């Protein structure tokens, strides 16, 4: 465990510093391709159609990772509009969670300097942002969110 910790915190952080930005740069370049973006939109449409076969209300949430868009916000906004537009045309409710990343520092948002996935605090903010939509859906279907409350531990 000590060796793993040292590798992760010291050597890994130093040697892997360019891996994440390089990956995201290539991903952004891929999204610039109209053909690849169209393919991704088709995948999203298929996913929503399959989801609608299970439930009548599908929520499509978009959370752009901040490390991906450093200096490429125009591309982010164009891709975001394309993906949410696809979801809405398929009848899904599209939620933008980009404000979570925009309102906080990268240090707060990311798990670590070499892992840009959302941290525990970011996951809590994501859950809080989704809660009104989930509660509304439960109320519409069941009349109350209390029907799903955890049983008392008395």
């Amino acid at each position: 465990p000590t060796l793993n910790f040292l590798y992760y915190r010291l050597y890994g952080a130093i040697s892997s510093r360019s891996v994440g930005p390089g990956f995201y740069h290539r991903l952004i370049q891929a999204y610039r391709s109209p053909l690849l973006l169209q393919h991704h939109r088709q995948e999203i449409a298929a996913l929503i159609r399959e989801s609608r076969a299970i439930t009548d209300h599908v929520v499509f949430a978009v959370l752009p990772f901040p490390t991906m868009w450093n200096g490429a916000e125009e591309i982010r906004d164009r891709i975001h509009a394309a993906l949410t537009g696809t979801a809405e045309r398929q009848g899904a409710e599209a939620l933008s969670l980009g404000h979570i990343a925009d309102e906080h520092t990268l240090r707060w948002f990311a798990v670590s300097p070499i892992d840009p996935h959302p941290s525990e605090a970011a996951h809590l903010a994501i859950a809080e942002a989704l809660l009104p939509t989930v509660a509304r859906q439960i109320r519409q279907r069941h009349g109350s969110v209390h029907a799903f409350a955890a049983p008392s531990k008395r």
Side-chain angles (χ1 to χ4, degrees), residues 55-57 59 93 130-150:
T55 182
D56 58 346
H57 190 87
V59 177
E93 178 179 355
L130 293 173
L131 184 60
T133 300
V134 172
R136 179 173 34 83
Q137 290 306 309
I138 292 172
R139 277 193 296 279
Q140 287 175 350
R141 287 176 173 240
H142 305 284
S144 169
V145 293
H146 301 291
F148 293 91

Side-chain angles (χ1 to χ4, degrees), residues 101-120:
D102 292 344
E103 293 170 358
H104 298 282
T105 64
L106 180 58
R107 184 180 181 99
W108 176 91
F109 182 89
V111 169
S112 77
I114 60 172
D115 184 354
H117 287 90
S119 65
E120 181 179 354

Side-chain angles (χ1 to χ4, degrees), residues 6-25:
L6 290 174
Y7 175 83
Y8 178 74
R9 285 295 191 191
L10 300 175
Y11 179 75
I14 293 167
S15 65
S16 303
R17 207 169 274 183
S18 65
V19 172
F23 169 78
Y24 285 125
H25 175 73

Side-chain angles (χ1 to χ4, degrees), residues 28 64-66 69 72-81 98 101-102:
I28 290 169
F65 285 18
W69 306 107
E73 286 77 12
E74 181 181 327
I75 299 168
R76 176 195 66 190
D77 295 344
R78 183 175 51 81
I79 293 168
H80 181 273
D102 292 344

